[in-house]
Every structure is written in C-alpha cells, then in structure tokens.
Amino acid sequence: PPCTCSKPPCNTCLASAMEVVKRAGCDSSPDSIHCKPPAKPMDYNGMSWPPLEYPGLEEMHIFAIGDWGGMDGSLNPIEGRPRIIAYDGGSQKGPSVFPRTRWNRWHTIELCNHEQLVECFNSKGGTCPKSCGFVEGVDDKPQQLVAQAMEERAHLSKPQYILNVGDNFYWGGIEKTC
C-alpha cells in the first residue's frame, strides 16, 4: 500500500482504496489542467481553470480557501511524537502559527530566518528585525483573521458552500500515521 499505519485501522489513509473516476474530456486531452496534478508546484502558475457550471436558479456564491492551517499548541501527539511549539505562547489552545523563513516576492533574498521570526513572536515584535515585517495582531493570529473576514463576507454573499482546497494540517496536527 502507499502508506503504513502503526495503529490500525489504516484503510482511511489509503489512496488506492478509492475508485478513481476519470473526468469528462480527459480522454482526448489528458494533459489538461483539470485532468492531472502538476509535476512541480509552479507548473500551473498563470493558467486558468476551464469554466465550471453548476445548475441553479439564481446567482450562487462559493468561498474557496487553502493553506490556512496551523498547529494547535494544546495537542498532545500520539505514538510518542514530540509537541511542536516554536515560541513562547505557542502552547495555547487553538491555532498557532509555525514561524517560517520569510523571503522577498521572488523568493531570491532571505529577509528573515526562522530564528529571527521566533524572536519576533517571543518579543511580540519588540526585538524583531525590521526585515521580518512582523505585525502583532496579524502575524500571530492569521487563521482567526481569515475566519473572521470569511464570516463577515458570508453575511453579504451567502455562499452555498465553502471549497477547502487543502494543505491545512501540519506535521503535529493529524492523529494518524499516513
């Protein structure tokens, strides 16, 4: 199987357990953006999805979100795994950020390394290098701010559903070995 599990049942994490249904149009154009995942992260940069149509009688709204996860500092991981707490206050209940290195827009110049960003979190920006661009109340609670903005917008546009495009769980946040 594509993955192993130290504490069965494990069948919920097996990709091969689900039948793969080929999408319409993929027989004639198997390299299309909607037929297969890209080989590298930036392969589809600048490409647009083909128009999608959903039946309905009126204007419809959806929200799409991805890569907005964090770590729950109160999580006690299973199987003897260590807790992942990078900064003071990172053990709080609820989502917490894992400070990563920050780069310029083109990802060619490192602006702030992990250790510097941890110091930004620990000092709440007090002894933080300006190149880190740390903003207290923004950098230390991005998931909450996104959730709040989505809730406010939902009152206006009344989405029919929210499309979660993934990458929300980090290495301390799933209670299963896959």
Side-chain angles (χ1 to χ4, degrees):
C3 64
T4 60
C5 178
S6 59
K7 298 206 179 198
C10 303
N11 61 342
T12 57
C13 71
L14 298 176
S16 61
M18 299 175 2
E19 182 181 340
V20 177
V21 179
K22 193 174 267 192
R23 293 180 180 173
C26 289
D27 288 327
S28 61
S29 182
D31 291 332
S32 169
I33 189 172
H34 70 281
C35 294
K36 69 175 191 174
K40 295 180 285 185
M42 300 304 282
D43 280 357
Y44 290 166
N45 190 21
M47 296 175 70
S48 63
W49 282 86
L52 302 173
E53 293 183 19
Y54 295 91
L57 301 175
E58 58 189 41
E59 183 176 287
M60 295 177 15
H61 297 267
I62 66 166
F63 286 174
I65 187 168
D67 194 14
W68 79 304
M71 299 177 299
D72 185 340
S74 64
L75 175 70
N76 289 314
I78 62 168
E79 300 176 348
R81 296 179 184 151
R83 293 177 73 195
I84 302 173
I85 300 170
Y87 56 93
D88 300 338
S91 61
Q92 67 190 5
K93 185 173 177 61
S96 62
V97 179
F98 187 80
R100 302 289 301 263
T101 302
R102 289 192 173 169
W103 297 81
N104 68 343
R105 180 179 181 180
W106 302 275
H107 212 266
T108 56
I109 300 170
E110 181 181 285
L111 302 174
C112 182
N113 67 36
H114 171 73
E115 289 78 18
Q116 291 171 315
L117 202 49
V118 167
E119 179 56 30
C120 295
F121 278 80
N122 286 339
S123 69
K124 300 189 183 312
T127 57
C128 181
K130 289 190 187 292
S131 63
C132 290
F134 181 86
V135 177
E136 186 181 7
V138 175
D139 285 310
D140 52 352
K141 59 178 188 174
Q143 293 90 355
Q144 295 93 329
L145 293 172
V146 169
Q148 180 184 349
M150 287 182 70
E151 181 180 20
E152 291 170 5
R153 186 67 185 182
H155 290 295
L156 299 172
S157 57
K158 305 198 182 338
Q160 277 66 36
Y161 60 92
I162 297 173
L163 176 63
N164 183 352
V165 297
D167 194 16
N168 301 326
F169 300 102
Y170 294 103
W171 50 100
I174 298 178
E175 291 288 321
K176 189 172 260 312
T177 300
C178 282

